[in-house]
Amino acid sequence: MDEFNDYKDYLKSHSSFPGIKRRDFFRLMGGGIYIFFRVGSAMEIMAAEADQNRLPNDLNAFLQIHEDGTVTCFTGKIEMGQGVITGLAQMLADELDVAFEKVKMVMGDTDLCPWDMGTFGSLSTRAFGPYLRAAAAEARMVLLIQAAEVLGVPLEDLDVNEGVIFKRKDKKEKVTYSQLTEGKKIERFLTEKPEVKDYSEFRIMGQPRFRVDSVEKVTGKAKYSGDIRLPGMVYARILRPPSHASKLVSVDTSEAEKVEGVQIVKDGDLVAALHEDPEMADKARRLFKAEFVGDEKPVSNENVFAYLNENAPEGNVNINEGDLETGKKSSDNTFENEFHDGYVAHSPMEPHTAMAFLEDGKMTVWAGTQTPFPAKSNIARVLGFEEEKVRVKPPYLGGGFGGKSAHQQAVEAARLAKITGKPVMVDWNRQEEFFYDEFRPAAIVKINSGVDEKGKIVFWDYHVYYAGDRGAETMYNVPHQKRTVYGRGWRAPGIHPFPTGAWRGPGNSTNTFAREVQIDIMAAKAGIDPVEFRLKNLTDQRAIDVLTEVAKMADWKPAQSPSKRGYGVAIGSDAGTYVAHIAKVDVDAKTGEVKVMKVWCAQEMGYCVNPQGATIQMEGCINMGMGYALKEVVEFEGGKVKTSNFDTYEIPRFSWIPEIETKILDRNAPPQGGGEPAIVCMGAVINNAIYDLTGARLFEMAMTPQRILEALKNV
């Protein structure tokens, strides 16, 4: 399901989101001019089906212009490495007409920022960005109106540049934003909203900018949740079950209580050892004697796909065009294949961490979370607090990829802080991070398709189990097609032996893998070059554009696969963005190891706000994508997660990094998402390159050395 629909669903299911009162906002922020504005059309559409009487009073975004000329933007989005701390500042600076260096971002602080469901789905730029620009345009107009009053001239005689408003005919007659804001607090709405700027007027957007947080991060000055230090703080080490199927029956903490300085907390299912020294807290926890019971699901790595097939729910048909039987009759060749994709961990460098402190009846939690406002609501609910008595302050996040949408560690820290009255740090170790990870779900895709004698795809029967339909679009021009979805994607309740969740472009890497490998199989059988075959069957101009461009970048020479060259191609789309990849690989036939030598990637994402940041995201997606394609396998038995660290779960390393060449197509169209699209093709493009080199075709990810060797035997 697209995240726009997720927003609407979330608003429907959550009845109350109390926000900060304006008088409290002024008290916290002090002097300056404040521009309050109604949120733009994107949020209004998303909120339209919700209970309007229960929406927060602060469904306004706050923009503060300080007396020194700096500007603060308050957004509920957070920074987790994707670079919106820079891109959103560019959007605000350009629309408001201030220097980029003057913009300061306050992100995700639930006491200062407007409510936001969370940061995911590459929505920050494409969904939040439009109404941030609308706010800046309104602020600019409010200031122009004030300047017209101060300078005593009609509004149309004024212009503005970098925070200075001046008369067009006499630039010496001027007033600055800071002069207008001096000592004032102004709440002002405009009944007639100004237009945002045209693309031709941008001077800051569209220009490459290094990330504003880069120096902090490379010098170690950046603060993450685990860096927070408060007087009297203690570290919590919590009793964990051996399996997701386990329930706590009893626990004996008598030996742990003998550890000097330790405090033992028992609160229902929460049993923890707390100590000012984390090693002593670890020691005490190891002395817990606990008894668990539970029934395991009969599933493991050995039988997971058979298990998923056997337990598949009834399917939901969401595309049914033409007639499949007619398509089959007109096919010269038909192809029926089943593709498997295993569980994948998010494996961020920073494990889930939170610091919580209760002071004067208010709980403040510093938490590494993609969802600070839902975290605030959940903490308040668990503690029995009014929401205004909870504040969540997310520092920088050390990677999220969808895995930090959940915020269990923040709730745990808050519960312990309430009980003890002390600042409590909950910092998961790597084993806890793997155990509680909401893995990308294992999934199955079954495709039956056919081509005619001219190499045209004539029917496409697509069945996807547990991955959802994100990225499941046929993309190609097919007259007879049907798509059936089984399970509710990564939300599938009761199927998996542990929680599953959103993993960078949820479901798209699975669906793109299956579709683009099936396309390659068809091209090879038809005896047509894989790029030519795709172009022959495409009518979507954006897909044609990226495929044509990446072929130029790679100096593609048409050849029928397997050509023994080791080149693969794949196309995909996600978050409103189109991508096309070509990869060159080498395969060691003795060990099964695959080396990705080079990857070319063309991306069309509408107007690119920060080409530097978008390029970094493309390169990061390509590198991260090699992991799920080649090595990442979660080992488990029932609800027991055997994978506990990076000694057995191999993510991409520096030695893997291929040569990468990227290009962002120049477009004057609304900006689209850039955080996820370039990852979705990596499994398919590597698979197709392996086949082109060796003739071996794989139908399951990860394509581990062992699976490569098995496939080579069948050539």
Side-chain angles (χ1 to χ4, degrees):
M1 180 186 292
D2 188 272
E3 274 77 3
F4 284 110
N5 293 325
D6 288 348
Y7 261 109
K8 290 192 287 186
D9 290 345
Y10 195 87
L11 284 167
K12 288 178 183 177
S13 61
H14 288 69
S15 60
S16 179
F17 303 110
I20 184 171
K21 296 179 174 62
R22 291 190 184 186
R23 63 176 180 271
D24 294 330
F25 180 81
F26 288 136
R27 175 179 57 79
L28 287 164
M29 295 311 301
I33 184 172
Y34 304 88
I35 306 298
F36 296 90
F37 57 95
R38 290 293 299 172
V39 296
S41 59
M43 260 314 257
E44 288 176 345
I45 290 170
M46 286 186 260
E49 298 180 39
D51 183 349
Q52 297 291 345
N53 295 324
R54 295 293 186 92
L55 290 175
N57 293 327
D58 68 335
L59 198 61
N60 297 298
F62 300 99
L63 173 67
Q64 183 184 11
I65 303 173
H66 302 269
E67 296 171 21
D68 63 359
T70 59
V71 181
T72 300
C73 174
F74 303 92
T75 172
K77 301 298 181 186
I78 57 90
E79 176 58 53
M80 56 180 166
Q82 79 279 36
V84 292
I85 193 172
T86 304
L88 293 178
Q90 286 180 266
M91 300 177 87
L92 176 62
D94 223 341
E95 202 66 58
L96 186 60
D97 263 324
V98 296
F100 172 76
E101 293 74 18
K102 291 287 187 180
V103 177
K104 309 299 178 186
M105 301 294 296
V106 175
M107 308 183 75
D109 187 326
T110 60
D111 265 15
L112 300 180
C113 300
W115 180 88
D116 190 279
M117 182 181 173
T119 305
F120 47 75
S122 296
L123 286 167
S124 296
T125 299
R126 63 184 175 124
F128 176 72
Y131 67 88
L132 173 62
R133 289 182 59 201
E138 185 166 349
R140 181 179 182 273
M141 183 57 70
V142 167
L143 291 163
L144 280 166
I145 291 170
Q146 286 187 245
E149 296 168 357
V150 171
L151 296 174
V153 295
L155 187 64
E156 57 268 21
D157 290 347
L158 296 178
D159 208 341
V160 58
N161 182 49
E162 292 197 350
V164 179
I165 301 173
F166 52 86
K167 293 182 181 179
R168 285 198 176 99
K169 295 181 180 179
D170 184 3
K171 292 186 178 181
K172 293 180 181 179
E173 290 289 314
K174 60 186 178 182
V175 62
T176 66
Y177 285 176
S178 58
Q179 288 172 324
L180 290 170
T181 63
E182 185 176 356
K184 297 181 180 179
K185 294 178 180 177
I186 299 176
E187 298 181 46
R188 192 165 188 168
F189 285 95
L190 296 180
T191 54
E192 186 174 338
K193 305 303 181 186
E195 295 290 330
V196 295
K197 291 183 178 180
D198 183 72
Y199 299 101
S200 62
E201 300 176 83
F202 296 156
R203 291 181 293 178
I204 299 172
M205 282 189 278
Q207 300 301 313
R209 292 267 177 178
F210 284 110
R211 294 179 41 162
V212 298
D213 56 347
S214 57
V215 173
E216 282 186 292
K217 289 182 174 177
V218 300
T219 59
K221 293 180 180 178
K223 298 296 183 184
Y224 298 82
S225 298
D227 296 317
I228 305 299
R229 296 290 182 270
L230 296 175
M233 63 178 281
V234 293
Y235 293 85
R237 297 295 181 259
I238 300 171
L239 176 65
R240 304 300 188 189
S243 167
H244 285 277
S246 300
K247 293 184 179 180
L248 181 64
V249 175
S250 64
V251 58
D252 178 0
T253 62
S254 57
E255 289 300 314
E257 291 165 14
K258 297 175 183 178
V259 175
E260 184 177 355
V262 75
Q263 181 178 0
I264 305 299
V265 171
K266 297 179 182 179
D267 183 34
D269 61 347
L270 180 64
V271 183
L274 294 88
H275 200 285
E276 62 182 15
D277 183 339
E279 292 186 3
M280 296 301 288
D282 275 325
K283 177 181 178 180
R285 180 179 59 180
R286 287 195 295 270
L287 294 173
F288 290 175
K289 297 177 181 178
E291 181 183 356
F292 292 90
V293 297
D295 295 325
E296 298 288 354
K297 289 183 180 294
V299 57
S300 68
N301 296 86
E302 302 302 319
N303 68 341
V304 58
F305 297 110
Y307 168 84
L308 292 175
N309 263 317
E310 291 167 5
N311 290 277
E314 186 174 342
N316 174 48
V317 176
N318 57 17
I319 282 185
N320 195 357
E321 300 174 355
D323 179 72
L324 290 181
E325 289 305 315
T326 300
K328 291 176 183 179
K329 290 176 183 177
S330 59
S331 298
D332 283 83
N333 287 294
T334 61
F335 309 83
E336 189 165 6
N337 293 301
E338 181 170 319
F339 301 88
H340 296 163
D341 200 0
Y343 296 103
V344 173
H346 294 87
S347 53
M349 288 298 96
E350 177 207 28
H352 282 64
T353 305
M355 165 72 83
F357 181 41
L358 181 63
E359 184 177 30
D360 297 330
K362 184 161 186 174
M363 182 67 70
T364 300
V365 182
W366 293 262
T369 176
Q370 295 175 230
T371 53
F373 286 88
K376 169 189 171 110
S377 299
N378 286 334
I379 291 167
R381 175 181 53 79
V382 171
L383 298 185
F385 282 14
E386 295 295 325
E387 286 203 18
E388 63 189 31
K389 295 296 184 181
V390 177
R391 180 182 188 180
V392 176
K393 299 175 66 176
Y396 290 130
L397 272 68
F401 318 118
K404 287 179 181 168
S405 295
H407 37 256
Q408 177 183 330
Q409 87 286 10
V411 175
E412 292 172 340
R415 288 175 67 183
L416 292 168
K418 178 186 177 184
I419 292 168
T420 64
K422 300 175 182 178
V424 176
M425 173 76 76
V426 172
D427 51 339
W428 289 359
N429 61 29
R430 191 56 61 180
Q431 182 175 2
E432 290 171 308
E433 184 68 26
F434 273 105
F435 182 80
Y436 284 116
D437 193 7
E438 296 185 345
F439 301 123
R440 187 190 72 181
I444 299 167
V445 177
K446 300 176 183 179
I447 309 176
N448 190 7
S449 62
V451 295
D452 64 17
E453 61 181 3
K454 296 179 181 179
K456 288 282 192 175
I457 307 171
V458 288
F459 85 92
W460 185 266
D461 188 12
Y462 192 91
H463 301 256
V464 55
Y465 299 76
Y466 311 110
D469 61 358
R470 181 164 167 174
E473 298 84 1
T474 310
M475 290 194 74
Y476 301 92
N477 184 31
V478 182
H480 308 288
Q481 59 174 305
K482 185 177 181 180
R483 182 171 71 218
T484 310
V485 182
Y486 303 80
R488 293 163 52 199
W490 40 269
R491 296 180 182 85
I495 296 296
H496 305 286
F498 31 63
T500 58
W503 187 96
R504 207 168 188 179
N508 200 326
S509 55
T510 297
N511 284 309
T512 300
F513 171 72
R515 181 192 65 244
E516 290 300 296
V517 172
Q518 182 82 353
I519 291 294
D520 238 53
I521 292 170
M522 296 163 72
K525 181 67 174 179
I528 302 174
D529 169 78
V531 171
E532 180 186 342
F533 183 82
R534 285 170 170 82
L535 290 172
K536 180 187 287 286
N537 286 284
L538 281 170
T539 56
D540 187 326
Q541 192 58 50
R542 296 180 72 193
I544 292 169
D545 288 348
V546 290
L547 180 56
T548 302
E549 188 60 43
V550 80
K552 290 179 183 177
M553 293 164 61
D555 191 23
W556 182 269
K557 300 293 191 299
Q560 180 182 345
S561 290
S563 71
K564 308 302 182 184
R565 298 179 303 173
Y567 282 85
V569 61
I571 62 173
S573 66
D574 191 73
T577 290
Y578 281 68
V579 289
H581 293 58
I582 289 175
K584 178 174 173 54
V585 305
D586 192 22
V587 178
D588 188 323
K590 294 181 180 179
T591 66
E593 290 286 344
V594 176
K595 175 67 176 176
V596 181
M597 310 299 291
K598 185 168 182 176
V599 177
W600 295 263
C601 180
Q603 181 162 291
E604 198 268 81
M605 55 190 305
Y607 189 86
C608 182
V609 174
N610 182 6
Q612 172 72 12
T615 298
I616 291 171
Q617 286 297 294
M618 293 169 73
E619 293 171 347
C621 282
I622 288 167
N623 285 316
M624 185 175 178
M626 290 190 296
Y628 82 76
L630 295 173
K631 290 291 180 72
E632 296 183 42
V633 176
V634 175
E635 298 289 342
F636 70 98
E637 186 173 355
K640 298 177 182 177
V641 179
K642 296 180 177 180
T643 299
S644 61
N645 215 320
F646 293 129
D647 58 338
T648 56
Y649 191 83
E650 191 172 356
I651 61 174
R653 304 179 180 184
F654 285 114
S655 59
W656 294 27
I657 297 176
E659 183 181 353
I660 299 174
E661 184 178 332
T662 63
K663 183 170 183 178
I664 299 168
L665 277 61
D666 188 17
R667 296 288 186 272
N668 284 341
Q672 301 299 321
E676 299 160 300
I679 201 170
V680 304
C681 290
M682 289 305 295
V685 75
I686 292 173
N687 184 301
N688 293 339
I690 291 170
Y691 175 79
D692 185 60
L693 180 68
T694 67
R697 180 66 74 183
L698 290 94
F699 295 87
E700 181 175 339
M701 291 194 294
M703 295 175 285
T704 60
Q706 181 179 356
R707 289 170 182 158
I708 295 285
L709 292 174
E710 288 297 319
L712 288 172
K713 292 178 182 178
N714 297 324
V715 175

